[in-house]
Amino acid sequence: MSQVVLKDLFARDAPLREQLNKEATNLQKVVLSERQFCDLELILNGGFSPLEGFMTQEDYQSVVHNLRLKSGAVFPIPVTLDVSEKLAESIKVSDRVALLDPRDEQTVLAILTVEDQYVPDKVVEAEKVFGANDRAHPAVEYLFGTADNVYLGGKLQAVNPIRHFDFVAYRYTPSELRSEFERNNWKRVVAFQTRNPMHRAHRELTVRAAKQHSARVLIHPVVGMTKPGDIDHFTRVRVYEAILQRYPKGSAKLSLLPLAMRMAGPREALWHAIIRKNYGASHFIIGRDHAGPGKNSQGQDFYGPYDAQYLVEQYSHEIGINIVPFQMMTYLPDEDIYKPVDQVEAGTRTLNISGTELRRRLLVGAHIPEWFSYPQVVSILRQSYPPKFSQGFVLVVPATADKLVPSALVSALNEDGRRHVSFVPHLDATTFTFAQELQRAGAAVVVSLTEADKSIQIPANWVQVNIGHDESVSEVTFTVLSKLSDEGYL
C-alpha cells in the first residue's frame, strides 16, 4: 500500500514566520473566498497531501481528465484559486501574493508564488468532475455563478496559523490526529464521513464496521462548506458530542474536518478517502450515494447509489486505505436491532424514517421515536430547529420591487406587534446565516434582494413576495399581512 508523505506546511514554514510576515506587508493582497479559505487550510495542514499549493494548469488538466496530478499521484478534485479578470491583470507569473483571511480581510495566512495563470474550460470541468453541466448540481452552480474566471496556480508558504473559535478541542490537524492515534496505540482506525446529524443507524453502522476490522472509530464530520440547506455545523457537532457517549469507552474519537465539499459523488468519495488517509485512518466507510447532491434538472439522481464504492475500490490499494462498503441500515422492530438492508430476509418487518420525514417532524413538532434517534440528539435538533409555530419567517423582496416595499413591510409588521422584526438590506454569506438564525429565534425578517444577490439560492421555507404589475406599495403590504396566521406566522 502507498505510504503518504504528509505535507505539513505549517510545520515546515514555522521558522520563517517573522520573515514572511515582514515580506507580506509589501505584497499584493488577495482576500480569500469561503471555499478558498477551507481549501487553503487543508493544503497548509497536509489534509490535501501531496498538494503544496493551488493547482497549475498542467495539474488541473490532469486531474480533470485523469483523476491524477501530473506526478501520477491520484487526486480526483481540482483545487484552484479563482480570481477576477481585473485582479488577474495586475498579477504576473513569478509574482508573490499574500492571501488574506476572509473573516477580517487583514490576517496574512499564506504567500502564493504564482507559477501559472490560466482560464479554465468550465463546461469541461463540470462534465468531467461533476458528471454533467447541470446547474441543479450545487458545485456546477457555484462554478458558473460564484467562481471567478481566471485560475492562479503555484506553491504556498504558510505565514500565520488559521485560528478557529468554536469547538477548538476537536479541530485536529493531520499531524496532531496521527500523533493521538500513535499515543493511544490505535493501529487500525475506521473513519466515518458525514455532513448530517448522526442517529442510531449511524452509530450501529460504525460500531459494526469497527468490529469487523478490529478497529477504533474516527467520527470525522465536515464543518466547512456542505450542501446548501444542510443543518449548521454548530448543531451537528453538539449532536456528535452526544452520540459519542453511546460508544464503548475508548472506542471512538471525534475530529472536525474544515472541508469545502463539492458533492461530486464518486470523485468526492475518492477525495475523502485520500484525506482520511492523510489524517491517519487505515479504513474508510463509504455508504450509499456517498456525497451525492440529489436530483438533476430532469429529476434523476446525479450518480448511482453505489458508484462511489465502485470507483474508490479501484484505487484503494494505490492510495493506501481500506474501503469499508456499507449498504443502508434499516430497523427491525421485532428484534429491536439495525441491519444492513442486504442482510434482511424477505418478509421481515422493517421501519425507516427518511431525512425528508425527519425534517417534517421537526417542522411540525411531531414525535420522533427512540428507535430512530436518541432523546439527547432529538432535544438538540429541536432546540436548533423548533417547530414552525415557534419560528419566525423570512420575507424576500425581489430586486425589481419598489424601493419602499421593504420599509413598508417592516413598519407594518412592527405595527402588528406579534414578532420582533429585523431588516436585511442585502444577502451575502454572513447576512444569509443571520437571517436564518433570526427566523429560528422567532423573528420576522424582511430581506431586500439586490441585483448582486441573484446567484444566492433562496431556501424553500423563505417566503418570496410576489408583486403584481400594477400593485401599489400599500396593496403589497396589505396582501402580505392578510396571510398571517393567528399565531403571527406565514
Side-chain angles (χ1 to χ4, degrees), residues 350-361:
T350 63
L351 294 174
N352 289 294
I353 293 179
S354 68
T356 300
E357 173 61 13
L358 174 62
R359 287 189 291 273
R360 186 197 70 80
R361 294 187 184 211

Side-chain angles (χ1 to χ4, degrees), residues 441-475:
V445 185
V446 177
V447 173
S448 180
L449 294 183
T450 67
E451 288 296 322
D453 300 333
K454 284 183 176 179
S455 63
I456 297 177
Q457 186 173 348
I458 302 300
N461 66 340
W462 288 14
V463 180
Q464 303 209 40
V465 178
N466 296 313
I467 301 174
H469 179 66
D470 296 322
E471 273 192 297
S472 68
V473 173
S474 297
E475 288 171 329

